[in-house]
Amino acid sequence: MSTVDNRIGFVRGAFVPLQDAVIPVMDRGFLFGDGVYEVTAVIEGRLVDNDHHLQRLNRSLAEIGIANPFSIEKWTEIETEIMRRNELRNGLIYIQVSRGVAERAFQYAEDLEPTVVMFPQFSKVQSNPIIETGARIITVPDLRWARRDIKSTSLLAQVMAKHAVKQAGVKEAWMLDGDIITEGASSTAFIVTRGNELVTRNLSQDILPGITRRTIIEIAKRHGLTIVERPFSKAEVLEAAEAFYTSASTIAVPVIEMDGVCVGGGVPGPVFRSLYDAYLQDVMTLPASIS
């Protein structure tokens, strides 16, 4: 199995050891954060929700005017080869696409060749001990730009939020616009009301259209839950029966405390557990990309 030191990535059209990979200084992704990214979980050799992740990548690229360099089939082929070369059975595959290389100027030519970088990370996302105990989280002001629906590589506000998370000794930060939760620093926020409604914010330019969010909602519908897509407040979180967050890198994590105040009785709830277990059951019905 590959390690941090000898992972093989796909950089500017070639499979190369990451320690030897080179990106030009004049790449607009480095100079301006002018690019987007995507991440797909790999569970037991299976690319999870991959078509939806690649569709979101295509949407993000279109929203900022970068031509998608590959078809879904070609992206999947490269991802599978990364899995094979790195013996990756559990972890993540990241895709980053920048507008390309040019002289530093805010304006850009329309015919730049996009820079593509892909790399694996190793983690068993389906075996996170925090699932059993629940996560403590904090809230932070949402300092991001107005197009949060684009999965931009410009992540300074999220970096600041995650540093606050580290300093507070918790697991995640939920971002506040006034008293309204937008989403997590790297996740989608959910609550379960005392009336047993599953609530998450409606899709708009204010939040990223989470792929795991989408799948969890589909599973909740199969389970007969009432799903309400609307903004909710910090006060509603503290009054909720349950709260949790979702992302490709964590699947879903129950929230037991926010800003030092107990949430949902301080233990992971049954709605979270049923959705999480059903998600993993669905994953294991997917065909494996590598054995």
Side-chain angles (χ1 to χ4, degrees):
M1 179 182 290
S2 298
T3 67
V4 170
D5 293 327
N6 68 3
R7 284 177 294 173
I8 303 298
F10 182 81
V11 180
R12 305 184 74 204
F15 291 97
V16 295
L18 290 182
Q19 61 187 0
D20 299 328
V22 175
I23 297 294
V25 169
M26 302 306 285
D27 191 278
R28 291 181 63 89
F30 171 69
L31 294 176
F32 296 109
D34 186 2
V36 300
Y37 77 104
E38 196 53 68
V39 56
T40 293
V42 178
I43 296 177
E44 298 302 335
R46 295 161 170 84
L47 288 162
V48 180
D49 286 331
N50 196 48
D51 281 358
H52 294 305
H53 281 289
L54 295 177
Q55 288 165 10
R56 185 174 64 177
L57 173 66
N58 186 65
R59 178 188 177 279
S60 292
L61 288 167
E63 288 295 315
I64 65 170
I66 296 178
N68 193 333
F70 300 126
S71 66
I72 284 182
E73 292 75 19
K74 183 62 176 179
W75 282 117
T76 305
E77 177 186 319
I78 299 170
E79 288 171 315
T80 302
E81 184 63 14
I82 286 176
M83 293 168 65
R84 188 189 69 80
R85 289 177 181 243
N86 291 279
E87 300 179 29
L88 176 66
R89 286 190 54 80
N90 291 285
L92 303 165
I93 295 179
Y94 279 87
I95 297 171
Q96 298 212 173
V97 185
S98 80
R99 197 175 302 276
V101 180
E103 183 58 53
R104 191 191 187 283
F106 287 104
Q107 294 182 334
Y108 54 85
E110 299 291 341
D111 60 350
L112 296 179
E113 180 181 353
T115 299
V116 174
V117 173
M118 300 171 66
F119 58 90
Q121 288 186 339
F122 295 92
S123 64
K124 202 165 185 180
V125 299
Q126 71 274 31
S127 298
N128 188 343
I130 201 70
I131 300 307
E132 304 302 329
T133 61
R136 296 163 54 234
I137 68 172
I138 57 173
T139 57
V140 297
D142 197 332
L143 304 176
R144 298 170 300 163
W145 70 317
R147 290 302 307 273
R148 300 163 189 158
D149 56 311
I150 298 170
K151 203 167 177 67
S152 167
T153 53
S154 302
L155 295 171
L156 181 58
Q158 287 93 323
V159 168
M160 294 169 66
K162 290 293 190 178
H163 185 64
V165 163
K166 180 179 179 181
Q167 289 182 313
V170 297
K171 291 296 183 181
E172 177 62 310
W174 283 8
M175 296 185 168
L176 287 171
D177 184 1
D179 190 46
I180 298 297
I181 303 292
T182 49
E183 58 189 337
S186 60
S187 61
T188 300
F190 286 82
I191 60 172
V192 180
T193 68
R194 299 289 176 181
N196 213 39
E197 292 179 335
L198 182 65
V199 182
T200 191
R201 186 156 184 165
N202 52 299
L203 296 181
S204 69
Q205 292 184 0
D206 291 326
I207 69 167
L208 184 74
I211 301 303
T212 308
R213 170 196 185 276
R214 178 186 186 279
T215 302
I216 288 291
I217 288 175
E218 288 180 351
I219 293 170
K221 289 177 179 177
R222 294 204 317 256
H223 283 222
L225 290 172
T226 299
I227 294 97
V228 180
E229 297 183 66
R230 63 166 175 81
F232 58 87
S233 67
K234 178 179 175 179
E236 287 182 272
V237 178
L238 298 178
E239 294 169 0
E242 299 182 36
F244 62 91
Y245 56 86
T246 61
S247 70
S249 60
T250 62
I251 304 175
V253 175
V255 173
I256 61 166
E257 181 185 292
M258 173 184 277
D259 290 337
V261 180
C262 180
V263 174
V267 294
V271 172
F272 160 78
R273 188 80 242 186
S274 65
L275 295 175
Y276 184 85
D277 290 345
Y279 183 96
L280 289 182
Q281 289 169 10
D282 284 358
V283 166
M284 296 311 294
T285 67
L286 298 172
S289 298
I290 63 169
S291 58

